[in-house]
Amino acid sequence: MEFLQPATWEEALAMKAAHPEAVPIAGGTDVMVEINLDHRRPETVMDLTPIRELTEWGTDDGVLRIGAGVSYTRLIDELGDRLPGLAIASRTVGSPQIRNRGTVGGNLGTASPAGDAHPPLLAADAEVELASTSGTRRVPVREFFTGPKRHTMRQDELIAAFLVEPAPGPQQFSKVGTRNAMVIAVCSFALALDPARRRVGTGIGSAGPTPLRAVDAEAFIAGELDWDGRRPPSDATLSRFGELVAAAAKPIDDVRGTAAYRRHALAVMSRRCLAWAWATPPHLWGGGARSAPEGL
Amino acid sequence: MRIACTVNGHTRVAENVWAGESLLYVLRERFGLYGSKNACEQGECGSCSVYLDGSLVCACLVLGGQANGREVVTVEGVDAAGVQQAFVDAGAVQCGFCTPGLIVATHDLLRRVPQPSDAQIREALAGNVCRCTGYAKIIEAVNMAAR
Amino acid sequence: MRVGESVQRVDGPSKVRGTFAYSSDLHAEHMLWGSTVRSPHPYARITSIDTSEARAMPGVHAVLTHEDVPGMKLYGLEIQDQPVLAFDFVRYGGEAVALVAADHPEQARRATQKVRVEYEVLRPVTQAEDALRPDAPRLHPDGNVTRHVKIRHGDQVARADVVVRGEYEIGMQDQAPLGPESGLAVPDAEGGVDLYIATQWLHVDQQQLANILALQPEKVRLTMAGIGGAFGAREDLSMQAHACLLALKTGRPVKISYSRPESFVGHVHRHPGRLSYEHGANTDGMLVYVRARILLDGGAYASSSTAVIANASCFAVGPYRCPNATIDGIVAYSNNPPCGAMRGFGSVQNCYAHEAQMDKLAAALGMDPVELRIRNAMETGTEMITGQKIDGPVPVAELLSRVSSMPLPANVSRPLPVYGEGKGGAVGPADLTAMPGGVSNTTHGEGVKRGIGYAVGFKNIGYSEGFDDHSTARVRLSVIDGRPRVEVHTAAAEVGQGTVMVQAQIAGSELGVNDIVVLNADTRVGSAGSSSASRQTYITGGAVKAAAEAVCQRVLGLAQSELHPASELRIENDNVVGGDGRQIVPLATLLGDAVIEETREFHPRATHRLDPETGQADAHMQYAFAAHRAVVDVDTELGLVKVVELATAQDVGKAINPLAVQGQLEGGAAQGLGLAVMEEIQVQDGVIRNASFTDYLLPTILDMPPLRMDILELGDPNSPYGLKGVGEPPTISSGPAIVAAIRAATGRDIRRVPVRPHDLTL
C-alpha cells in the first residue's frame, strides 16, 4: 500500500491524475473501517486532510460553496442556521468523534444509500463540484448517484465542494435507527420547502440502491400546500404525501430492517416532517439567522 | 514509510510503518502507548478516543500517515486528573476497557461545556460504549468532575 | 478495607490513566503475530489443506493445521467435541482451521488468505428443530441432542380453571466484552510455555491446554492479564491453544488479538431459543400447573450447553409455587455458531416466557399482574419443581411490592416543535434525547404511548448438579518496612466485577491489618473456579475468609499468654488487642521476621445431579432473586422504543462492597435492556450477518435510562457473611420487564426478543 500526501489542491489533482486508482481519504470513517477489518486493500491511499481549501466554505452569488472536507461538527456549528436540514442530519451522524472527522465529501465519495447527508442534499437540490487536472464541473446531487456505492465521478476526479442555496424555507430530516444514537439509518427522509418558488424537495435514504427523491410526492404536495394562507395541510393530504413518498422508495430486506417496514416508516416520517416544517414559526421561514442555545 | 508526530508533547518517530496502519496501531504497537484501546476498530465504541490537533477523534479511523506532523494527545498525556479521579471515586470503572476513551471524551466535553446537563452528557458520550456499568456511574463521574 | 464498606477500585487509578495492561496490550521482544484461518462455510468436509504457499509468504514463520496439534485434538468444558483446529469437518462458519505466525499482523493476515483449504460444502442444519428430525445429518457421534432435561413434578395430568398458552422466541445475544480475545504465549527453554491471558478460569484453561499440547500442567503456566470484560465469553478457550502452539513451534513469543468481527466467531453466545408454555391456574389465580418445552440451539459444539439447559429447565416456572410441572428442556447441536455461557445462563430465556405467561394469566383472570405474582410467590420452604425445598430468605413478594411502590417518572412529554439545529443541539424546546428515536428526530411526541411492565426472576448461584465447586486462597502475613502486610493470592479472575476489592475487604476484616495486597491471579495457587455463576464472592470470598481466619488463629496463638488466652484476643488496626480493645502487642513486634502463611480450600454445601427421568434433586446451592419495573415510551407509529426508567429490588444477602453491588445491578440491567430491544446476532444459513459493532448494536448512554435501586441485605444463613451472588439476577428480569412495558404501551402480543420496529408496526 502506498500513501500519498499532497500539500496543495493542485498537487492533489496532479497525483490523482497520475494515480487514478488512489483512494482519497479524509475523515477515514469509511475507508479506515474497510482497511482495519481487512475488507479492502487499496494500492494507493491519498490523504486530503492537509489541503486547506477543502476545509473552507463561503458564499458566492447567494449560493453556499462548502469545501468537501468541512466536518459535520462544523456544519452544525457554522452553518446550522442556513442549512437546517443538513444540520439535523449531521447531528445523527455517529458520535462527536465521528462528526469531528467525517465530511460530506467523504459521504458523497462513498455514495452509500445510507449516507446521512444525501437526503438533505437531494431535497435542497445541491450540486457537487468535481475537479481534475482537466477542469471543474458541477453535477446536481440528483444525478450524482448511479448505483449502490457508485457515482458519476471519473477516476481522475476528486470532490472539491458541494454547492447549495441557504435554506429558502423550512427544512426537516428524520431517520429511523434501532437505537437512540450512533446508528446507521434503517431509512431516512429529508424535506425542504421553497416558498418563493412554491417547490418542495425530498430525499429518501437507505431505502433503495441509491439515495432517492420522491418526485411524485414533491409535485403532489407543492400543488396542495396553501402557500399564501399557510393553513395546515389536511390529514388526508399528509397521508397521501406519505403514501407517495413510500411508493417512491425501492427498499429491500436486510440486516437492518425489512422492505415493508421501510416503506411504512417513510410514510410516517414524511408526514411528520411536512407537518413540522409547515408549523415552523414565520420568523424562521426565511432560513435567516436564529439564536441558538449555547453549549455543545 | 516513516511517521513523525508529536505525542503528548514529545516528538515521536516510527520507521518502516506499513501504510495501512492506523494511528491507533501506531500509538500502541510502535510507540508503546497502549492506553488507547482496540475494541472495535471501526469508530463504533470510542475506546480509542484521542485528540488530534485538539479535536476529539477515534484513533482507529485515522490512517497513521495522516498524523504526520500533527499533534496527538492520548489518555496517557491528557491533563484530566480531576476527571480521572472522579471516575475512580464514582465507581464508573469496572473492567475499564472503555475508560481511557471516556476520560478523553469527558475532558473534551467539559472544556466545551463546563456544567453540562444530563442530556448534554449523554449526547456527548454517545460514542463511548461501556459494557459493564450501565452508564449511571459514568454520568455521576462527569457531574462530579464538573463540580 | 472492611466488609460492608464502599471501596474504590485498587486498579482504578491505572485504568483511568491508561496504564493498566490488558491482554491485548502485551508485547515481548521478537514477538510474532498469530492469525487464524477460518471456515467460510457452516458445514463442510475438508478435503485438503495446502499451506505451502502461505509458508513462503514474506515474514511468515509458521503455518499450522490439526496435524500440528501434539495432544488431544478436541476440547470442551463439559464434552470434548470441539477441534483445536478443524479436521475432517467444519461445523460452523468461522471455525478455526489453520494458524499463521508472522512478523507483522498484516503479513499474518495476507498469509492466512494463501492457506488453500478445499471444502466439500454440505447442507447445514440451521434450526434446532431441524436438528431433531430423524433425517437430519448427525453432527456428532452421539447424535444431535446435546441434553434433554425432563422435569416431572406432581400430577402430570392436572387440570385447571384458566389456561393460557404462549410461544416465545429469543434471539442470539453476544456478551460483547469490549476487550478482544487476546494474549501472549512465551515459550521457555525446556519445552514449556507461559501464557499471559484474559480468561474467566485459569485452571480449566491450563488443564485443557496441557491436554492439547501434551505437556504436564506445570509446563503450562498461566498468568492473568487485564480482562476487558467477560460475561461468559471467556469461559471457553479461544486463542489460548493457538498462541501456545505457534509459540512452541516457532520458539518465539506469539501474540494473538482478535478483531471485533473475529471475536463474534471466536467465542460462544447466549443460546437462542424457542419456548412453548402452558399455564393452568385456579380462578383465584393460584398456579395449578406449568407445562413447557424449551428448545435451545446450542450450535456446533457443546461448550456449557448441558448446564445451560439444566438452568433453563429448573427455573422454567420462575420464582413461583407450582405444584405440578412438566418441563422438557432440550439443547441441540446445529451448524450455527456455538452457544454457551452468558450472564444469566439459561435463566434469561425462560424468564421472558414465564413472565409473559404470568401477564397473560393476569389478563385472563382480570387480575393485577403484580398481585398475581405476589399471590404465587415462592417463600422460604417452598418446594421447587425439582423437589428441592428452597431455604434461606426468599423475598419474592417483597421485591415485587417494593418495585411496584417506587415513585413513577414524570409523564410523557407533549408534542414539542423542533425547527432545526444549532450549536447547542436542537433549535426548539423539545429535548430530542428524551424521545423514542432520540436525536434522529423521528418524533416530537407524536404517536408516543407510555407503558409499565414488571418481571421477577431467579437463578442458582455457584455450580450445580454435583460439581465440586471450590476455590483456593493463600493468605500470607509478614512485616515489610516495619508494617504488617497481608498478601492474598487466588486464581480468581478480575473481570471488572471487583473481586480484587472483595478479597482485600475480607482479608482486612478478618485480620485487622491495614496494608492488604491482592496478588495477580495465576496458576501458582490452586484453582478458584470460574468468575461466573455469580459465585466468586461466595466461593473465593469463602476461601479467603477461611485462610485469613487460619492466619489469625496462628497470630493469636503466638500472642496468647496466661493473662490473655487466644480466645479473648483479636487483631485490630495492626495490633493484637484484648477483649477490652486495649493493645496487647503491635503485630510488627509480635511477628518480627516471621511469616505466617495459610492456604485454604473452600467448598460450599454439596449439590446433586438431576434425576434423568424426573429432574428431581437438590441440584443447586443457593438462589438469588431480583425484580424489575420498566417504564417505556413507544412511538407506536414507528415502533421505536425509549426506555424511560428501570427500577429494581434485589436481595444481595450482604453487600460486601455496596458501590460494586450497585455497579452490578446497573450494568446487568443494561445487558438485559440490550437483548430486549436491540441486541441480536443475526444468523442466516449458518453465517453471522452482523459481526461488527456497526450492526450488532449495544446500548449507548442515550439508551440506558436511570435505574432506581432498592438493595436488600437479608442475610443467607449458609453463606460467608450472609452474602448472595449478585451479578446475574439484574440481567434476568430487566429485559422481560421492558417487553412487558412495551406490550402495555402498544397492546401487541410480542412473542420475540429483541423487539424490532416492524414487530410493533406491521
Side-chain angles (χ1 to χ4, degrees):
Chain A
M1 193 184 292
E2 195 184 350
F3 180 71
L4 303 177
Q5 200 168 39
T8 66
W9 184 233
E10 290 67 32
E11 210 182 318
L13 295 176
M15 278 183 183
K16 185 66 175 157
H19 299 270
E21 82 291 351
V23 175
I25 181 169
T29 56
D30 290 325
V31 176
M32 284 307 292
V33 173
E34 296 190 309
I35 292 177
N36 290 341
L37 302 189
D38 204 3
H39 293 160
R40 186 179 188 184
R41 283 290 174 266
E43 268 176 64
T44 313
V45 181
M46 183 163 75
D47 178 22
L48 298 177
T49 54
I51 297 162
R52 195 170 41 83
E53 295 96 307
L54 290 179
T55 64
E56 294 172 344
W57 63 267
T59 310
D60 187 13
D61 203 13
V63 174
L64 286 163
R65 183 186 178 282
I66 300 163
V70 174
S71 70
Y72 291 107
T73 300
R74 286 183 57 211
L75 281 176
I76 297 169
D77 289 353
E78 300 169 23
L79 289 160
D81 54 347
R82 274 155 286 191
L83 299 173
L86 183 59
I88 299 173
S90 298
R91 190 185 181 193
T92 75
V93 173
S95 59
Q97 291 90 328
I98 302 297
R99 294 194 285 275
N100 284 345
R101 280 297 273 179
T103 65
V104 171
N107 219 214
L108 289 165
T110 299
S112 160
D116 291 319
H118 305 148
L121 294 180
L122 282 172
D125 200 9
E127 289 187 315
V128 189
E129 185 180 304
L130 304 174
S132 68
T133 48
S134 51
T136 295
R137 61 181 179 126
R138 290 180 177 177
V139 179
V141 171
R142 291 170 179 179
E143 295 165 21
F144 181 72
F145 304 107
T146 56
K149 303 203 171 186
R150 296 204 342 231
H151 44 55
T152 56
M153 267 168 80
R154 294 196 314 264
Q155 280 255 296
D156 65 334
E157 285 181 317
L158 292 170
I159 299 170
F162 64 98
L163 296 101
V164 62
E165 210 186 325
Q171 297 184 341
Q172 280 291 345
F173 174 83
S174 185
K175 160 175 149 183
V176 167
T178 42
R179 79 180 161 189
N180 288 302
M182 289 275 292
V183 71
I184 292 182
V186 172
C187 56
S188 62
F189 179 77
L191 180 82
L193 301 186
D194 186 343
R197 299 188 191 93
R198 303 198 169 193
R199 285 204 307 234
V200 175
T202 60
I204 295 171
S206 228
T210 66
L212 297 166
R213 278 172 75 195
V215 178
D216 293 345
E218 290 175 3
F220 165 76
I221 200 66
E224 288 289 320
L225 288 170
D226 176 18
W227 295 100
D228 296 318
R230 298 226 176 137
R231 276 175 311 178
S234 69
D235 286 350
T237 302
L238 289 171
S239 289
R240 182 66 190 145
F241 178 62
E243 282 168 24
L244 289 169
V245 169
K250 299 172 188 166
I252 53 166
D253 291 345
D254 68 14
V255 72
R256 295 182 191 125
T258 65
Y261 174 76
R262 287 182 156 110
R263 283 192 199 277
H264 166 85
L266 282 167
V268 175
M269 287 192 291
S270 54
R271 279 201 316 261
R272 289 182 182 174
C273 282
L274 183 61
W276 298 334
W278 198 252
T280 303
H283 69 282
L284 297 176
W285 270 62
R290 290 193 310 262
S291 62
E294 283 307 305
L296 295 180
Chain B
M1 59 182 281
R2 179 176 192 271
I3 293 172
C5 55
T6 307
V7 183
N8 300 330
H10 303 283
T11 303
R12 305 294 294 257
V13 179
E15 306 280 357
N16 301 318
V17 171
W18 169 59
E21 290 177 18
S22 67
L23 174 60
L24 178 63
Y25 184 92
V26 172
L27 289 171
R28 289 169 56 80
E29 304 294 342
R30 302 279 178 186
F31 299 155
L33 293 168
Y34 288 102
S36 309
K37 296 299 171 206
N38 56 332
C40 80
E41 295 185 83
Q42 55 186 137
E44 295 283 354
C45 76
S47 306
C48 64
S49 297
V50 301
Y51 285 114
L52 179 67
D53 280 353
S55 178
L56 183 75
V57 305
C58 291
C60 71
L61 298 184
V62 178
L63 196 57
Q66 291 186 295
N68 229 338
R70 307 216 177 242
E71 195 173 324
V72 181
V73 177
T74 70
V75 68
E76 290 96 338
V78 71
D79 180 17
V83 174
Q84 288 162 323
Q85 191 58 49
F87 268 67
V88 176
D89 291 346
V93 180
Q94 286 188 32
C95 94
F97 210 78
C98 69
T99 305
L102 273 160
I103 296 294
V104 182
T106 301
H107 180 265
D108 182 54
L109 167 66
L110 294 180
R111 71 181 183 152
R112 291 180 291 121
V113 190
Q115 303 286 325
S117 66
D118 184 82
Q120 285 173 317
I121 294 170
R122 288 179 187 269
E123 196 170 350
L125 300 183
N128 291 80
V129 171
C130 172
R131 191 54 159 165
C132 296
T133 66
Y135 303 105
K137 304 234 178 301
I138 290 170
I139 292 173
E140 216 173 297
V142 177
N143 283 322
M144 215 182 257
R147 280 198 290 272
Chain C
M1 273 189 256
R2 298 289 182 273
V3 165
E5 295 172 0
S6 273
V7 174
Q8 288 161 3
R9 297 194 70 94
V10 291
D11 54 11
S14 62
K15 284 179 171 175
V16 297
R17 286 197 289 264
T19 55
F20 184 83
Y22 294 87
S23 56
S24 56
D25 300 339
L26 305 173
H27 179 88
E29 284 297 302
H30 308 298
M31 174 182 99
L32 301 175
W33 289 81
S35 188
T36 312
V37 179
R38 294 183 180 275
S39 165
H41 308 294
Y43 190 33
R45 187 190 311 276
I46 298 174
T47 53
S48 71
I49 305 176
D50 179 358
T51 61
S52 53
E53 197 182 342
R55 281 175 208 278
M57 294 282 286
V60 170
H61 293 259
V63 182
L64 307 183
T65 69
H66 65 91
E67 291 178 353
D68 300 293
V69 177
M72 285 176 56
K73 291 179 189 290
L74 297 172
Y75 70 96
L77 287 172
E78 287 160 8
I79 300 171
Q80 284 71 53
D81 62 357
Q82 181 160 4
V84 177
L85 291 168
F87 55 94
D88 298 341
F89 291 94
V90 288
R91 295 180 185 82
Y92 77 96
E95 181 163 351
V97 179
L99 303 168
V100 173
D103 291 320
H104 190 281
E106 175 66 3
Q107 293 170 326
R109 283 190 292 265
R110 295 283 68 79
T112 58
Q113 295 188 331
K114 300 293 182 188
V115 175
R116 306 293 178 195
V117 185
E118 298 291 333
Y119 297 100
E120 178 194 334
V121 175
L122 303 169
R123 189 190 173 87
V125 179
T126 59
Q127 300 286 338
E129 202 70 67
D130 294 343
L132 302 181
R133 293 159 61 103
D135 58 343
R138 246 174 129 80
L139 300 175
H140 290 277
D142 294 336
N144 293 344
V145 175
T146 318
R147 188 176 182 189
H148 180 172
V149 174
K150 298 176 196 169
I151 295 179
R152 305 287 181 262
H153 187 70
D155 180 358
Q156 295 299 293
V157 292
R159 289 169 168 274
D161 302 331
V162 182
V163 174
V164 293
R165 297 185 181 87
E167 306 271 333
Y168 305 94
E169 186 182 345
I170 315 296
M172 185 189 288
Q173 189 180 20
D174 190 52
Q175 303 88 344
L178 287 194
E181 290 81 355
S182 46
L184 179 69
V186 183
D188 67 21
E190 286 89 42
V193 63
D194 283 280
L195 179 66
Y196 300 85
I197 186 70
T199 175
Q200 288 176 241
W201 191 348
L202 285 168
H203 285 77
V204 81
D205 280 11
Q206 182 189 35
Q207 190 55 54
Q208 294 197 85
L209 289 171
N211 291 340
I212 292 163
L213 302 171
L215 291 172
Q216 292 302 309
E218 57 271 19
K219 299 274 251 181
V220 186
R221 296 163 299 267
L222 276 71
T223 302
M224 197 69 84
I227 303 176
F231 319 114
R234 300 185 205 275
E235 291 260 286
D236 298 73
L237 295 181
S238 58
M239 44 55 65
Q240 286 90 326
H242 299 163
C244 291
L245 286 166
L246 288 170
L248 289 167
K249 184 77 173 183
T250 60
R252 303 257 295 260
V254 174
K255 174 170 172 171
I256 295 181
S257 183
Y258 286 177
S259 70
R260 183 55 52 181
E262 189 171 22
S263 175
F264 273 94
V265 294
H267 65 251
V268 300
H269 311 292
R270 188 191 299 290
H271 292 75
R274 287 175 186 271
L275 303 89
S276 310
Y277 269 68
E278 179 179 314
H279 277 54
N282 288 333
T283 49
D284 61 1
M286 301 307 293
L287 285 178
V288 175
Y289 68 85
V290 173
R291 294 180 193 131
R293 178 178 186 263
I294 299 169
L295 177 60
L296 300 183
D297 185 344
Y301 298 105
S303 179
S304 47
S305 279
T306 53
V308 171
I309 195 64
N311 273 10
S313 307
C314 290
F315 312 121
V317 172
Y320 304 112
R321 279 191 309 275
C322 181
N324 310 299
T326 311
I327 312 293
D328 285 279
I330 301 162
V331 61
Y333 286 116
S334 72
N335 294 114
N336 288 325
C339 291
M342 183 176 174
R343 195 174 194 170
F345 202 81
S347 296
V348 169
Q349 293 91 333
N350 63 30
C351 189
Y352 276 101
H354 65 66
E355 289 304 272
Q357 287 288 101
M358 292 305 274
D359 285 341
K360 264 193 184 179
L361 195 54
L365 289 159
M367 277 181 72
D368 176 77
V370 175
E371 172 56 29
L372 176 74
R373 285 174 170 84
I374 288 176
R375 200 170 279 197
N376 286 286
M378 273 180 173
E379 297 167 341
T380 302
T382 299
E383 189 175 86
M384 288 186 45
I385 61 169
T386 54
Q388 184 168 5
K389 286 207 171 52
I390 190 159
D391 61 4
V394 183
V396 178
E398 183 173 2
L399 297 176
L400 283 163
S401 63
R402 282 180 181 242
V403 286
S404 60
S405 60
M406 287 186 196
L408 282 163
N411 223 333
V412 62
S413 315
R414 286 171 291 109
L416 290 168
V418 177
Y419 310 119
E421 273 314 290
K423 206 172 159 60
V427 176
D431 173 14
L432 284 177
T433 64
M435 300 284 166
V439 299
S440 293
N441 195 38
T442 47
T443 179
H444 302 165
E446 297 90 343
V448 176
K449 291 191 179 149
R450 177 154 291 187
I452 301 172
Y454 295 89
V456 60
F458 79 138
K459 90 172 281 287
N460 53 331
I461 303 302
Y463 300 140
S464 298
E465 286 204 80
F467 193 97
D468 177 22
D469 198 350
H470 68 276
S471 180
T472 319
R474 184 182 300 150
V475 172
R476 176 188 167 99
L477 173 64
S478 60
V479 178
I480 311 271
D481 297 332
R483 285 186 66 201
R485 168 179 291 180
V486 172
E487 290 175 340
V488 182
H489 193 188
T490 77
E494 172 54 65
V495 294
Q497 82 282 44
T499 188
V500 289
M501 287 91 77
V502 164
Q503 293 177 45
Q505 287 174 276
I506 290 174
S509 282
E510 296 303 326
L511 282 167
V513 171
N514 296 320
D515 185 10
I516 312 277
V517 177
V518 177
L519 302 181
N520 192 37
D522 57 33
T523 50
R524 290 177 303 157
V525 64
S527 175
S530 178
S531 286
S532 65
S534 306
R535 60 179 284 286
Q536 211 56 285
T537 299
Y538 191 137
I539 312 295
T540 291
V544 172
K545 183 169 187 278
E549 283 168 348
V551 169
C552 186
Q553 286 313 308
R554 282 184 54 191
V555 171
L556 300 184
L558 289 177
Q560 73 179 339
S561 61
E562 276 191 22
L563 204 58
H564 300 291
S567 59
E568 289 176 10
L569 299 176
R570 62 181 196 277
I571 313 172
E572 203 175 274
N573 198 20
D574 293 349
N575 292 300
V576 177
V577 299
D580 54 2
R582 281 170 48 187
Q583 179 182 320
I584 308 292
V585 58
L587 263 187
T589 310
L590 177 71
L591 290 174
D593 292 337
V595 172
I596 298 182
E597 180 179 297
E598 290 291 340
T599 301
R600 287 290 182 277
E601 262 188 20
F602 177 79
H603 298 252
R605 59 180 168 165
T607 59
H608 304 280
R609 193 154 173 83
L610 294 171
D611 181 277
E613 294 308 317
T614 65
Q616 302 298 292
D618 287 353
H620 305 294
M621 189 252 304
Q622 188 189 48
Y623 297 91
F625 305 84
H628 283 85
R629 181 187 71 195
V631 180
V632 304
D633 284 345
V634 182
D635 180 339
T636 53
E637 290 181 303
L638 284 175
L640 301 178
V641 176
K642 170 80 182 173
V643 183
V644 176
E645 191 205 74
L646 286 169
T648 187
Q650 180 171 337
D651 172 27
V652 303
K654 165 75 182 170
I656 305 296
N657 182 355
L659 190 67
V661 167
Q662 292 165 19
Q664 289 299 303
L665 269 56
E666 291 161 344
Q671 292 183 4
L673 179 149
L675 178 58
V677 296
M678 65 181 80
E679 289 185 38
E680 182 177 11
I681 296 181
Q682 298 184 42
V683 183
Q684 190 175 46
D685 302 327
V687 176
I688 299 180
R689 301 163 80 202
N690 58 337
S692 80
F693 280 174
T694 304
D695 284 310
Y696 185 89
L697 299 181
L698 299 169
T700 71
I701 197 167
L702 277 167
D703 299 288
M704 182 62 192
L707 176 72
R708 280 180 197 276
M709 287 182 277
D710 196 347
I711 297 170
L712 283 69
E713 297 182 274
L714 300 181
D716 182 332
N718 293 307
S719 69
Y721 307 106
L723 69 83
K724 279 196 175 191
V726 168
E728 290 171 289
T731 309
I732 296 172
S733 46
S734 47
I738 290 167
V739 175
I742 297 172
R743 285 192 194 97
T746 60
R748 285 179 182 254
D749 176 22
I750 302 161
R751 302 169 181 187
R752 185 190 189 283
V753 290
V755 181
R756 300 161 299 191
H758 61 83
D759 296 329
L760 298 177
T761 48
L762 302 182

